Amino acid sequence: MSVEWPLPENDPWSTPFAQALLQKLELFPGATVLDIAAGGGIPSFHLAEKVGSGGRVLAIDANQYQVSRARSVQGMHLPWLEFEVGDMRRLPSELPQFDRITGNLAFMFFRPDRPEALKNLLQFLKPGGQIVLTFPSLGTFDSLWTKVDLEMRQRGFEKERSALEEYINERPSAGHAENWLRELGMERTEAIELPLEIKTGAGRAFLEHPLLRGGFLEDVYECFTDKNLAEQFMTEISQDIESFTPLHAIRCAMSGWKPAEG
Ligand SMILES: C[S@@+](CC[C@H](N)C(=O)[O-])C[C@H]1O[C@@H](n2cnc3c(N)ncnc32)[C@H](O)[C@@H]1O
């Protein structure tokens, strides 16, 4: 059977994470799926095609713009797929339970209380159902953080350095993720990790890199109260990419099964 809604080939970030998610997800025709942090629909469209018209995919995202964008791509296709606005950390209690819960690049947004957000979400998983979430796990871009830390230390930026340390230590590891699933009663828990190299040039190519600037570099800028100083510091870092490339992200896919009833 030909695939009309494959994962986009030209997406260097969401698609490799979604591939890790699909590697763990066990799907069947007719399944109902809750896809959280669905954004523009990776992997909601692909999942909807896989479950077929006998199934259902509810794709939710907190951002109205993302939901509208996904709906316009969908048009009249795959009518058993719905995009809705919602906060995955506190979904309405009247929502039914689903056979599968998926979330690509979702788990990092479970802040501030990740176990609590996970617990709330698991209410919407049917007994015997599977949850698979992906996120960039502890270790992602460590060569960059080491470089930034070293440069901060050499310049005596101690306040910024401790803010960076706090950010780095707050990131969940694959081990944390699997433990939280286990502690919440999930069975056959797993958290696999797959490396992903991110290519970048120096200077503006680095500072404006669509993957880095959107989230990760923003987190370094946030460590500074003086925004001009942040800009100057990061511009200097961007001239010396040889000292922290190749840059590696770690794709973590965490999976668990809710015990069947009876
Ligand atoms: C990195 S994008 C991933 C989107 C999509 N799954 C993909 O792989 O391309 C993360 C998405 O999470 C959404 N998001 C962040 N916090 C959220 C929350 N509390 N509830 C629902 N969606 C959220 C953002 O709006 C964004 O679209």
Side-chain angles (χ1 to χ4, degrees), residues 22-161:
L22 294 179
Q23 200 171 316
K24 282 291 115 198
L25 183 67
E26 294 181 28
L27 207 53
F28 58 92
T32 59
V33 182
L34 173 63
D35 188 37
I36 55 164
I42 299 178
S44 332
F45 286 110
H46 185 68
L47 298 180
E49 183 173 21
K50 280 190 139 181
V51 299
S53 58
R56 176 188 182 203
V57 177
L58 175 61
I60 61 143
D61 197 280
N63 184 320
Q64 171 70 64
Y65 166 76
Q66 294 283 9
V67 172
S68 305
R69 196 166 66 99
R71 281 180 183 157
S72 72
V73 171
Q74 181 183 14
M76 304 298 283
H77 299 286
L78 307 166
W80 56 94
L81 164 64
E82 285 164 71
F83 288 94
E84 297 292 343
V85 177
D87 186 334
M88 60 192 172
R89 294 165 304 176
R90 40 188 101 79
L91 292 168
S93 55
E94 59 273 15
L95 217 58
Q97 289 186 315
F98 293 79
D99 296 309
R100 300 288 180 265
I101 296 181
T102 55
N104 194 43
L105 287 165
F107 190 55
M108 61 279 204
F109 299 111
F110 277 39
R111 281 181 292 214
D113 187 342
R114 291 197 176 91
E116 184 62 22
L118 191 55
K119 183 176 164 201
N120 288 341
L121 185 63
L122 287 171
Q123 293 172 62
F124 303 102
L125 184 62
K126 280 186 193 171
Q130 184 192 20
I131 182 167
V132 187
L133 306 175
T134 65
F135 65 103
S137 52
L138 189 73
T140 292
F141 302 145
D142 266 3
S143 60
L144 172 60
W145 311 133
T146 303
K147 167 77 175 168
V148 169
D149 180 66
L150 177 72
E151 295 293 329
M152 283 177 168
R153 181 149 54 92
Q154 285 177 349
R155 289 169 173 75
F157 293 171
E158 286 311 317
K159 195 162 45 78
E160 290 79 4
R161 221 178 139 213

Side-chain angles (χ1 to χ4, degrees), residues 189-209:
T189 56
E190 267 185 278
I192 58 158
E193 291 191 306
L194 304 166
L196 176 69
E197 185 180 338
I198 300 298
K199 298 211 184 296
T200 178
R204 305 293 336 152
F206 171 72
L207 292 174
E208 290 164 16
H209 192 292

Side-chain angles (χ1 to χ4, degrees), residues 160 213 218-235:
E160 290 79 4
R213 187 65 214 244
E218 224 51 61
D219 294 323
V220 181
Y221 284 79
E222 294 286 309
C223 297
F224 288 80
T225 37
D226 180 340
K227 297 302 163 198
N228 290 332
L229 185 62
E231 199 57 55
Q232 189 191 330
F233 176 78
M234 289 306 285
T235 303

